[in-house]
């Protein structure tokens, strides 16, 4: 494994495992399996609805002697309904309780969207709708300034519940604003990135500001087919460029895409429920892409964003939720 050094001395594993859309009934076994395969970076979130099961998998792996807690990098995320300062600590503690952990290695603000608070006892995880049983359910936003949310995140970091804090789905303007008042700067940005959405300016800006960069959906459209948010024709792994490079390297298209990600200096968090794919996805450190191959893959950029609330919000949640310019 290779690592990205963070500003405050921590080491972020470059290849992690993402638990978004991992079936709840399979999550505990999947979690134990990925740890057994060698993953130490586990990417979780309240909104994924499977943190209890991830915690069960972590407990099983530790009990079986596969790792110690200190060997793991566990990330979770603050959901949109908990942006008010009085709810940030509660949300973090709920994730910790569900995961069965005393601390998180990284806690991220999931989206730069504040929604109306939903009590934990009413609905957890609360998802996007304020009242899913309403005749016409919608997303109800809340006017919570980001500086208030970030101050509460900083308090988590100083309390010891969280080792590092960061952000998801932020653009350069939002990061620049956050840096103007942050007492503790964000350690990590997590954002959608793959060869159809290379985000080169954002990556360069994060490098300039010493913010580590994690790419979610590093294989592109794969996770979005079942949601109707991508067409099979948009599979970057089927691109002639990627397939030809994979053949030349003696690697799979997925390994080429993940290698492109780590070779750009980003961390990547693929996910799969198949053990052979788990093993394949983590084995990307025994080869390098040439400059020409890196350029060819980057040249596939289309600015194609699959995970955009400004697109899916209206169709799925009856609410227009743009966050990207």
């Amino acid at each position: 494994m290779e690592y990205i050094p963070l500003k405050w001395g921590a080491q972020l594993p470059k290849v992690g495992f993402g638990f978004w859309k991992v079936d709840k009934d399979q999550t505990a076994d999947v979690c134990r399996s990925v740890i057994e395969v060698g993953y130490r970076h586990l990417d979780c979130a309240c909104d994924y609805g499977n943190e209890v099961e991830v915690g069960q998998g972590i407990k099983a792996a530790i009990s079986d002697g596969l790792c110690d807690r200190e060997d793991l990098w566990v990330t979770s995320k603050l959901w949109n309904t908990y942006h008010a300062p009085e709810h940030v600590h509660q949300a973090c503690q709920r994730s910790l309780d569900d995961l069965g952990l005393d601390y998180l290695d990284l806690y991220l603000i999931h989206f730069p969207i504040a929604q109306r608070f939903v009590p934990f006892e009413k609905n957890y995880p609360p998802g996007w709708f304020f009242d899913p049983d309403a005749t016409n359910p919608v997303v109800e936003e809340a006017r919570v300034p980001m500086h208030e949310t970030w101050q509460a995140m900083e308090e988590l970091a100083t309390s010891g519940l969280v080792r590092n804090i960061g952000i998801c789905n932020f653009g350069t303007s939002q990061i620049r604003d956050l840096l103007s008042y942050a007492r503790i700067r964000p350690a990590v940005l997590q954002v959608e990135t793959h060869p159809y959405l290379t985000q080169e300016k954002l990556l360069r800006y994060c490098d300039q500001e010493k913010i580590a960069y994690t790419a979610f959906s590093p294989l592109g459209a794969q996770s979005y087919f079942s949601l109707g948010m991508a067409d099979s024709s948009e599979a970057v792994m089927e691109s002639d460029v990627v397939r030809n490079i994979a053949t030349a390297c003696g690697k799979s298209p997925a390994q080429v895409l993940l290698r492109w990600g780590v070779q750009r200096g980003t961390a990547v968090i693929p996910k799969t429920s198949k053990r052979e794919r788990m093993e394949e996805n983590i084995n990307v450190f025994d080869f390098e892409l040439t400059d020409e191959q890196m350029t060819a893959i980057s040249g596939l950029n289309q600015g194609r964003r699959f995970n955009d609330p400004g697109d899916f919000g209206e169709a799925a949640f009856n609410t227009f939720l743009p966050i990207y310019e």
Side-chain angles (χ1 to χ4, degrees):
M1 181 57 64
E2 295 179 1
Y3 300 84
I4 298 175
L6 304 189
K7 188 173 178 65
W8 310 115
Q11 299 281 322
L12 175 68
K14 282 191 176 181
V15 178
F17 186 90
F19 284 91
W20 179 51
K21 288 186 66 201
V22 175
D23 187 271
K24 196 171 182 177
D25 294 337
Q26 300 179 20
T27 298
D29 289 340
V30 167
C31 181
R32 188 197 176 283
S33 292
V34 299
I35 293 172
E36 186 175 30
V37 165
Y39 291 82
R40 294 297 180 264
H41 176 177
L42 308 178
D43 186 78
C44 313
C46 152
D47 187 55
Y48 301 165
N50 56 13
E51 287 192 319
V52 169
E53 291 73 22
V54 172
Q56 292 168 353
I58 291 172
K59 183 178 180 180
I62 293 173
S63 297
D64 292 344
L66 300 178
C67 66
D68 294 324
R69 166 64 183 98
E70 293 71 25
D71 299 326
L72 299 176
W73 179 283
V74 182
T75 297
S76 187
K77 304 179 187 75
L78 177 77
W79 186 239
N80 308 339
T81 50
Y82 307 130
H83 276 214
E86 62 269 24
H87 300 139
V88 172
H89 184 281
Q90 296 173 43
C92 180
Q93 189 61 58
R94 176 61 186 261
S95 283
L96 285 168
D97 292 345
D98 285 352
L99 290 163
L101 302 177
D102 295 326
Y103 68 90
L104 291 168
D105 297 274
L106 178 64
Y107 198 46
L108 304 172
I109 295 175
H110 204 147
F111 281 99
I113 298 172
Q115 294 175 221
R116 185 176 170 187
F117 175 64
V118 176
F120 293 84
E121 63 275 11
K122 179 181 178 182
N123 194 21
Y124 188 90
W128 290 88
F129 288 132
F130 174 72
D131 181 5
D133 298 322
T135 303
N136 183 39
V138 295
V139 178
E140 295 194 23
E141 295 190 66
R143 303 303 182 192
V144 181
M146 186 57 67
H147 73 85
E148 293 184 3
T149 306
W150 189 252
Q151 183 177 6
M153 294 284 285
E154 291 174 329
E155 291 171 2
L156 290 177
T158 56
S159 74
L161 288 179
V162 174
R163 300 279 174 90
N164 299 274
I165 53 177
I167 47 181
C168 284
N169 300 300
F170 277 52
T172 52
S173 296
Q174 294 159 324
I175 297 170
R176 185 177 285 109
D177 180 65
L178 189 154
L179 292 176
S180 72
Y181 53 75
R183 181 174 55 85
I184 300 175
R185 293 163 60 91
V188 177
L189 167 71
Q190 185 180 126
V191 68
E192 180 183 347
T193 310
H194 43 75
Y196 286 172
L197 183 69
T198 57
Q199 304 260 45
E200 292 185 13
K201 290 180 181 178
L202 181 58
L203 177 57
R204 181 179 173 185
Y205 183 69
C206 285
D207 184 59
Q208 172 184 296
E209 295 297 333
K210 303 297 186 290
I211 299 170
Y213 189 113
T214 297
F216 74 74
S217 301
L219 301 179
Q222 304 302 118
S223 293
Y224 301 96
F225 295 148
S226 63
L227 299 174
M229 294 164 64
D231 185 84
S232 59
S233 64
E234 297 181 287
V236 66
M237 287 201 290
E238 299 300 322
S239 159
D240 288 342
V241 169
V242 173
R243 296 185 73 82
N244 289 340
I245 291 173
T247 299
C249 293
K251 298 293 181 179
S252 72
Q255 286 174 312
V256 166
L257 293 177
L258 297 174
R259 180 66 209 179
W260 173 82
V262 299
Q263 205 164 312
R264 297 175 86 213
T266 74
V268 293
I269 45 172
K271 75 100 176 167
T272 179
S273 296
K274 298 179 180 178
R275 189 179 177 97
E276 62 270 23
R277 294 286 181 259
M278 296 175 191
E279 294 171 349
E280 179 182 295
N281 289 346
I282 200 172
N283 289 315
V284 296
F285 299 106
D286 60 350
F287 74 105
E288 285 192 11
L289 300 172
T290 65
D291 290 345
E292 292 77 12
Q293 289 169 336
M294 290 290 292
T295 298
I297 296 171
S298 296
L300 296 172
N301 183 41
Q302 304 171 7
R304 175 63 167 106
R305 191 186 304 276
F306 298 108
N307 195 331
D308 185 347
D311 291 334
F312 70 72
E314 204 158 12
F317 306 118
N318 306 315
T319 312
F320 181 46
L321 294 166
I323 57 175
Y324 304 112
E325 292 83 0

